[in-house]
Amino acid sequence: MTVVPPAPAPAAPLMQARDVTVRFSVRGGAVIVPVDGVSLEIGPGETLGLVGESGCGKSTLGRALLQLVRPAAGRVAFMGQDLTALDGEPLRAMRRHMQIVFQDPRGSLDPRMAIRRIVEEPLRVHRLAGPQEAARAAREMLALVGLDAIYDRQRPSQLSGGQLQRVALARALVTRPKLVVCDEPVSALDVSVQAQVLNLLVDLRARFGVAYLFISHNLAVARHISDRVAVMYLGQIVEEGPTDALFARPRHPYTQGLVASVLRPGLGARDQLAAAARLVAGDVPSLLQPPPGCRYHPRCPFAQERCRTEAPRREPAGGGQVVACHFWQEIASGTARPRPAALATPSA
């Protein structure tokens, strides 16, 4: 009798967010909720892509996960610790394990500091190394990101955008973190430099086993680097799943529109963009007055009365995908009929 060994238990999530909500007060006493009840998980060594239109709350969510912006509600667990319950020195001690790379390296690097000192600083802040050890670790990390020792004493103003983003990566990884939030790390770079930085991110993940939350509005970039992708719309996650499955079989109409907007060779660009425009019509509603029910219903070609009054729940859609849409099954089977354009609800 052959004894079949038990399957290994799945690894516990490195980071787990549950119902995270962020609120900002603005002039006149109004309240903006850029992140509204978001739940997600990131596994050890995994890259989760977070995509969506500009202004949908992606960057705010990334900062809330790291407690750079404190959530108004919800819970964020990291390495078994509830970050939302930590403050002061306990939270500071956790920060060596979670870092961030910002979109604009020129704005996130101190222009008065030499490059090596910039990379050394996290080691000094967290008291992880003495002066000599910190200098050696900084040089080693700069070499790993493709910057030689000749850049040791140069200032940020003397480097290109791509070189500065490599410095930002070196600074983020010098403490050997478990998680790095990459907030649009290549959107400000030339296309050829984007490819170099993306390949560097992949290499560094393989070397250090670090996990990424990769925030981007560029679906092609997110597809290249991510194991899983979460699609965000107006402060909420509308679909999530393995990268290949989500791009091959998008279930939510918004995801379908985003995927259709990525031009593919061999097909007419005008026809592709027209198809995408039918799925993502109109403008993004204001966060000051988000639509009731499903937030996507003013732009959705398949919206019905239920969508205007009842918010959809996230539910499994097969293949590891999760979707928040009342009628995703009808849309997937082709039985859902798009409403005439003349009957579409105007955007808020």
Side-chain angles (χ1 to χ4, degrees):
M1 178 177 175
T2 303
V3 178
V4 179
L14 175 67
M15 174 169 278
Q16 191 174 47
R18 287 289 177 265
D19 302 319
V20 173
T21 298
V22 177
R23 299 188 182 98
F24 294 135
S25 298
V26 296
R27 289 182 180 179
V31 176
I32 290 179
V33 185
V35 178
D36 191 4
V38 169
S39 298
L40 55 80
E41 294 181 355
I42 304 174
E46 180 185 41
T47 298
L48 175 64
L50 183 63
V51 302
E53 292 171 283
S54 297
C56 71
K58 303 186 301 295
S59 295
T60 303
L61 175 59
R63 286 164 170 77
L65 295 179
L66 301 184
Q67 306 302 298
L68 298 177
V69 173
R70 299 301 289 227
R75 178 177 180 270
V76 180
F78 177 67
M79 297 174 58
Q81 293 266 4
D82 184 0
L83 297 181
T84 50
L86 299 181
D87 206 350
E89 188 57 36
L91 178 59
R92 180 190 180 96
M94 293 297 293
R95 292 199 186 281
R96 62 163 292 192
H97 302 292
M98 50 184 189
Q99 295 291 320
I100 186 168
V101 175
F102 295 97
Q103 177 179 357
D104 178 19
R106 292 193 187 278
S108 63
L109 302 178
D110 191 333
R112 299 166 299 177
M113 294 178 66
I115 296 304
R116 194 190 73 206
R117 292 282 291 176
I118 289 174
V119 179
E120 288 177 10
E121 188 172 24
L123 297 174
R124 296 197 302 271
V125 167
H126 293 287
R127 301 181 181 90
L128 298 176
Q132 293 183 348
E133 293 85 354
R136 182 172 62 253
R139 287 195 178 100
E140 291 175 355
M141 188 56 66
L142 286 169
L144 283 175
V145 300
L147 296 178
D148 299 328
I150 59 173
Y151 297 102
D152 264 12
R153 302 191 180 281
Q154 289 186 304
R155 299 292 191 272
S157 60
Q158 298 173 277
L159 273 62
S160 68
Q163 290 171 329
L164 289 177
Q165 202 61 291
R166 291 171 184 265
V167 174
L169 279 171
R171 180 180 63 177
L173 290 168
V174 74
T175 63
R176 300 295 194 269
K178 301 293 185 182
L179 172 70
V180 175
V181 173
C182 301
D183 187 5
E184 300 274 10
V186 298
S187 62
L189 307 179
D190 294 337
V191 174
S192 59
V193 181
Q194 285 185 16
Q196 296 172 15
V197 174
L198 287 173
N199 290 332
L200 177 60
L201 283 167
V202 173
D203 293 341
L204 292 172
R205 185 181 79 160
R207 176 182 288 269
F208 297 116
V210 63
Y212 295 135
L213 174 65
F214 188 88
I215 299 171
S216 179
H217 64 269
N218 188 323
L219 267 71
V221 169
R223 183 176 189 176
H224 172 76
I225 197 171
S226 303
D227 301 305
R228 291 186 301 118
V229 173
V231 181
M232 195 168 187
Y233 181 77
L234 216 63
Q236 299 177 340
I237 302 294
V238 298
E239 186 167 1
E240 183 181 348
T243 301
D244 291 341
L246 187 139
F247 277 86
R249 298 177 303 278
R251 299 305 192 189
H252 196 282
Y254 179 63
T255 311
Q256 293 175 356
L258 292 181
V259 172
S261 69
V262 180
L263 298 182
R264 291 159 289 171
L267 300 174
R270 181 174 298 178
D271 293 338
Q272 292 183 65
L273 293 176
R278 286 192 293 271
L279 291 163
V280 188
D283 299 321
V284 181
S286 171
L287 281 171
L288 285 170
Q289 292 182 316
C294 174
R295 293 191 171 184
Y296 191 59
H297 85 256
R299 306 174 71 187
C300 179
F302 302 102
Q304 300 183 30
E305 187 59 36
R306 180 185 179 187
C307 306
R308 298 180 178 90
T309 58
E310 181 183 341
R313 295 182 178 181
R314 287 159 54 93
E315 57 181 275
Q321 289 172 254
V322 179
V323 63
C325 176
H326 292 304
F327 302 105
W328 72 266
Q329 292 177 323
E330 291 84 350
I331 295 170
S333 64
T335 58
R337 293 289 177 264
R339 58 186 176 176
L343 301 179
T345 304
S347 297

